[in-house]
Amino acid sequence: MTDKPVTLAVIIGAHGVAGEVRLKLFGEGAETLKSYGGFDAGGRTLTLRSVRPGPNGAVARFAEVGDRTAAEGLRGTELTVPRSALPALGEGEYYHADLIDLPCFSSEGEGLGHVVAVENFGAGDIIEVERPNGKRFMVPMHAVTVAEGRAVIEAAFAV
């Protein structure tokens, strides 16, 4: 496992006039951000002062952001932490960030390409695989086994 940055949230705009920001969350909720304290934000560190649930995600205050103008300037900024800072997972659990770029093989041993995205449209996770020729296909996660640094896809889904 590499210690690549994992995006936990993105700043989507300012909230009020005192420098708070609105966040789109990519994790379990606003409360989980409190365990990190600081985030890499495009090459600078932002220190979390407070966070609470808000419209479309969360509202946060950072020590380095003092007014609405500064908050608006951060729109689109991803808040990341190193992969090693994330909590350990149980058996059979995974972080989406760990699946991206995994090599994929069919259950019959055919090389299929690599994972380029993990989506969830409401019925469970789906991985998107890009073949070496650039064509892509999607597979429901229940048809994928992740082990030993690779994703093995049931042959019937490897179209």
Side-chain angles (χ1 to χ4, degrees):
M1 171 178 62
T2 62
D3 207 15
K4 61 185 172 186
V6 176
T7 303
L8 298 182
V10 64
I11 297 172
I12 58 174
H15 181 82
V17 296
E20 288 183 313
V21 296
R22 292 180 295 119
L23 302 176
K24 177 180 179 183
L25 302 175
F26 301 118
E28 294 293 318
E31 287 297 312
T32 60
L33 296 179
K34 290 180 180 178
S35 62
Y36 298 102
F39 299 90
D40 179 62
R44 73 187 261 205
T45 299
L46 292 179
T47 308
L48 186 65
R49 280 181 149 176
S50 66
V51 64
R52 66 183 187 279
N56 302 319
V59 175
R61 179 180 302 279
F62 294 100
E64 298 79 7
V65 183
D67 59 35
R68 184 175 181 87
T69 302
E72 286 178 350
L74 292 172
R75 182 187 309 263
T77 301
E78 294 181 351
L79 303 177
T80 66
V81 296
R83 169 61 179 89
S84 61
L86 299 175
L89 296 171
E91 185 68 29
E93 295 181 322
Y94 55 89
Y95 286 113
H96 289 189
D98 293 340
L99 299 178
I100 303 299
D101 291 329
L102 270 184
C104 298
F105 297 87
S106 75
S107 55
E108 297 174 348
E110 175 191 0
L112 299 174
H114 65 281
V115 177
V116 293
V118 181
E119 303 288 349
N120 189 317
F121 301 108
D125 286 341
I126 298 171
I127 64 167
E128 186 172 0
V129 178
E130 184 174 306
R131 291 187 176 269
N133 65 6
K135 292 190 178 189
R136 294 182 178 196
F137 66 98
M138 295 180 141
V139 180
M141 197 63 200
H142 69 79
V144 179
T145 303
V146 177
E148 301 172 14
R150 62 194 293 178
V152 178
I153 298 170
E154 292 177 23
F157 288 91
V159 292

